[in-house]
């Protein structure tokens, strides 16, 4: 599965769970405070925060005092895990966001590209846009499958029917998937279904 990490900022959309109960959904800065409250109330109960787009668990220092946690969230940090990262600066022309990278092709490919209207760069952009349009549905389905699976693995890995549900998820079998997660905790089941919305595109 792909492992592209999101840019983590205090405004990232997230959802927090205390045990199997959903306790907050919204921007990370607000969800983290709810998670902190739940952690302080029952330190023995697992409190987990997930980013909504990809279903990844974030590691937040909930043991810190609330003021320190807020300060921690506001500081730019490297990406990955639960650390906060500033939006990356894009090289190239600012208005277009053009990025220069190396592409390796055979001589005949370069000859064909050079003969296209606008040159190689314009032709490559058109080819990529056309491919994206064709594969957009597959990309959305794959992303939803991976997001749902990441969340399931953490929150429902020990639940009955997990392996069968995972197989149904990647097979595009919505009926089988829904049946296998039927007896999971309500909030966990609802969030899995939300993340998996596009996983069953026709």
């Amino acid at each position: 599965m792909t492992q592209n990490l999101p840019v983590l900022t205090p405004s990232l959309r997230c959802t927090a769970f205390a045990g199997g109960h959903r306790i907050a959904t919204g921007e990370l800065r607000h969800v983290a405070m709810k998670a902190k409250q739940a952690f302080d109330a029952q330190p023995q109960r697992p409190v987990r925060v997930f980013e909504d787009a990809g279903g990844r668990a974030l590691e937040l220092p909930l043991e810190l005092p609330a003021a320190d946690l807020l300060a921690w969230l506001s500081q730019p940090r490297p990406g990955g895990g639960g650390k906060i990262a500033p939006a990356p600066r894009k090289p190239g022309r600012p208005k277009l966001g053009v990025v220069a990278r190396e592409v390796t092709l055979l001589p005949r490919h370069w000859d064909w590209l050079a003969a296209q209207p606008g040159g190689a760069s314009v032709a490559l952009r058109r080819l990529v846009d056309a491919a994206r349009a064709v594969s957009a549905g597959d990309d959305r389905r794959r992303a939803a499958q991976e997001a749902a699976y990441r969340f399931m693995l953490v929150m429902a890995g020990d639940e009955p029917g997990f392996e069968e549900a995972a197989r149904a998820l990647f097979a595009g079998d919505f009926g089988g998937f829904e049946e296998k997660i039927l007896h999971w905790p309500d909030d966990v089941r609802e969030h899995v279904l939300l993340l998996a919305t596009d996983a069953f595109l026709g």
Side-chain angles (χ1 to χ4, degrees):
M1 291 186 291
T2 58
Q3 294 296 322
N4 294 329
L5 293 175
V7 174
L8 302 183
T9 67
S11 60
L12 183 73
R13 300 290 299 184
C14 299
T15 299
F17 285 80
H21 299 285
R22 183 172 50 225
I23 58 173
T25 296
E27 293 186 352
L28 176 57
R29 65 181 65 134
H30 303 306
V31 171
M33 290 298 100
K34 291 291 186 180
K36 167 65 177 170
Q37 293 172 6
F39 175 82
D40 288 346
Q42 291 184 270
Q44 74 282 4
R45 181 172 59 170
V47 177
R48 299 184 176 96
V49 178
F50 298 85
E51 52 98 6
D52 289 343
R56 294 177 178 84
L58 308 180
E59 296 180 2
L60 304 181
L62 299 179
E63 71 281 357
L64 293 178
D68 292 344
L69 177 58
L70 281 173
W72 187 91
L73 290 171
S74 67
Q75 296 173 4
R77 298 170 186 274
K83 299 176 175 62
I84 309 304
R89 295 182 61 185
K90 295 182 179 180
R93 288 172 281 180
K95 290 186 178 179
L96 297 178
V98 175
V99 177
R101 291 181 181 171
E102 182 179 348
V103 176
T104 303
L105 299 173
L106 294 173
R108 65 175 181 272
H109 298 148
W110 285 116
D111 292 341
W112 183 86
L113 287 169
Q116 303 307 303
S121 293
V122 172
L124 281 171
R125 289 175 202 153
R126 288 173 179 164
L127 288 171
V128 170
D129 287 342
R132 288 180 62 193
V134 170
S135 65
D138 289 341
D139 292 343
R140 286 174 55 197
R141 178 167 55 250
R142 189 179 308 110
Q145 288 171 338
E146 293 180 359
Y149 181 76
R150 289 187 195 103
F151 175 78
M152 287 167 53
L153 187 62
V154 175
M155 293 298 297
D158 294 328
E159 292 292 337
F162 170 80
E163 293 184 3
E164 294 85 351
R167 284 196 289 268
L169 172 67
F170 286 102
D173 177 8
F174 179 72
F177 180 72
E178 194 173 36
E179 177 185 355
K180 295 305 178 184
I181 69 173
L182 182 62
H183 299 295
W184 292 4
D186 291 347
D187 289 345
V188 172
R189 183 180 67 252
E190 289 177 7
H191 198 67
V192 168
L193 288 171
L194 178 63
L195 292 173
T197 298
D198 289 337
F200 302 100
L201 292 172

